[in-house]
Amino acid sequence: MRVEDEEFFKGFIRMADDGWNMGWHERNGGNLSYRIKDEEVAKVSENFIQGEWKSIGAVVPGLAGEFFLVTGSGKFFRNVMTDPHDSVGIIEIDEKGEQYRIVWGFINGGVPTSELPSHLMNHQVKKKLTDGRYRVVYHAHTTNVIALTFVLPLKDEVFTRELWEMATECPVVFPDGIGVVEWMIPGGKDIAAATAKLMETYDAAIWAHHGMFATGETFDLTFGLMHTIEKAAEILVKVLSIRKDKLQTIRTDDFIKLAKEFNVELPNRFLN
Ligand code: 13P
Ligand code: ZN
């Protein structure tokens, strides 16, 4: 079977194009990865070649032998739909979780995203904590979330509570909250470690003055999470632009009622 004909591939391409259409991927901004299921690998592996082993830049023993579909470094999300063979590729992780090799795609000599350490370290945490259910890691340059990182204190509690208040469904969509990473140099293992640590608690992490990471089980859920958070941020930007204090909002006792009705647990530190 051709990789291009598989549902996981089509879903990946569609998600990248949706992100482009949202305005979250200027130039080569943002990246996407998907941990391919064994049965999906089995269907398409006849097309695989074996590239040279290269260092991941992080150590992820929990992902030994896994295959990932990933966007390429320097590739534009704008081109993923029209030129996927150039923009994306499949990589295999070695048995120690130290190296990867390209087995498909990147036909013009491309390489995986420079944020590969962050993607893989997040995948490693989520694979373990969700018994393998989570398969998608998504990084986008979400305009309004980035704007807020200049005016709100860079604290998980502040971002979570402020964004929860912006739309009634927010605490239902991300009941565990959102983590915040202070400004760090992107593309390396330090920011990857800081992000992966937050992913032990949250499904989404904000990178100050840069963007956001979201993780999830499916393309729909991961894109939906990114979209929900960015939309809440857009509302907050509008509210703050109108006046600096809120005349009314969703209050702590409202959140408690909501949690009961929707059967979600909201951590106390975001309620007080
Ligand atoms: P890549 O083009 O290497 O994926 O980098 C884009 C980006 O958003 C870096 O944070
Ligand atoms: Zn980025």
Side-chain angles (χ1 to χ4, degrees), residues 3-269:
V3 172
E4 302 87 320
D5 296 330
E6 292 303 307
E7 287 309 313
F8 77 86
F9 186 82
K10 292 185 203 163
F12 184 98
I13 301 297
R14 180 178 160 218
M15 176 159 163
D17 199 55
D18 286 344
W20 156 250
N21 286 313
M22 296 304 291
W24 300 338
H25 300 285
E26 77 292 339
R27 206 174 180 280
N28 64 309
N31 20 78
L32 175 62
S33 63
Y34 169 73
R35 187 168 56 82
I36 308 175
K37 294 177 183 165
D38 292 346
E39 61 267 31
E40 292 167 334
V41 172
K43 272 166 121 182
V44 299
S45 60
E46 63 191 13
N47 304 292
F48 289 178
I49 47 120
Q50 293 180 343
E52 259 174 62
W53 289 110
K54 295 200 175 125
S55 170
I56 290 169
V59 184
V60 285
L63 300 177
E66 294 273 8
F67 290 81
F68 291 86
L69 180 57
V70 290
T71 52
S73 187
K75 302 297 180 187
F76 293 22
F77 269 50
R78 177 168 175 256
N79 297 333
V80 169
M81 182 70 100
T82 51
D83 201 3
H85 300 90
D86 173 73
S87 308
V88 310
I90 296 176
I91 59 168
E92 177 184 3
I93 309 300
D94 72 359
E95 77 282 5
K96 286 191 179 149
E98 290 173 1
Q99 296 189 298
Y100 75 86
R101 66 180 170 192
I102 295 169
V103 298
W104 186 89
F106 296 135
I107 55 165
N108 299 312
V111 293
T113 171
S114 59
E115 303 295 358
L116 193 63
S118 283
H119 278 259
L120 295 183
M121 287 185 77
N122 290 340
H123 275 293
Q124 177 172 255
V125 166
K126 288 301 184 185
K127 180 185 170 192
K128 185 163 173 229
L129 292 178
T130 69
D131 275 333
R133 281 186 300 111
Y134 276 37
R135 294 190 171 272
V136 184
V137 173
Y138 182 32
H139 169 55
H141 292 179
T142 40
T143 316
N144 293 283
V145 164
I146 297 169
L148 290 175
T149 64
F150 294 92
V151 295
L152 292 184
L154 298 174
K155 297 213 173 322
D156 305 3
E157 290 79 6
V158 175
F159 270 82
T160 299
R161 177 65 187 234
E162 288 291 339
L163 294 176
W164 275 4
E165 287 185 29
M166 290 303 109
T168 299
E169 294 204 343
C170 281
V172 180
V173 176
F174 49 101
D176 298 329
I178 307 176
V180 184
V181 178
E182 63 180 24
W183 186 87
M184 290 179 78
I185 294 176
K189 74 172 186 317
D190 293 346
I191 196 166
T195 312
K197 180 96 195 91
L198 291 175
M199 288 299 179
E200 290 171 8
T201 307
Y202 310 110
D203 283 348
I206 291 166
W207 280 5
H209 322 324
H210 184 145
M212 188 166 30
F213 266 83
T215 62
E217 225 172 303
T218 63
F219 296 123
D220 274 352
L221 288 169
T222 312
F223 189 84
L225 177 62
M226 186 73 83
H227 194 184
T228 304
I229 295 169
E230 170 60 6
K231 177 150 186 185
E234 182 181 348
I235 299 168
L236 184 54
V237 167
K238 288 182 199 289
V239 170
L240 293 171
S241 311
I242 300 167
R243 50 185 286 167
K244 61 178 193 316
D245 56 333
K246 302 167 203 149
L247 208 52
Q248 56 272 324
T249 187
I250 306 170
R251 294 158 309 162
T252 296
D253 51 333
D254 298 326
F255 284 123
I256 293 168
K257 282 187 232 154
L258 193 71
K260 220 167 166 196
E261 191 62 31
F262 283 83
N263 216 7
V264 288
E265 242 179 79
L266 302 179
N268 261 332
R269 67 200 173 97

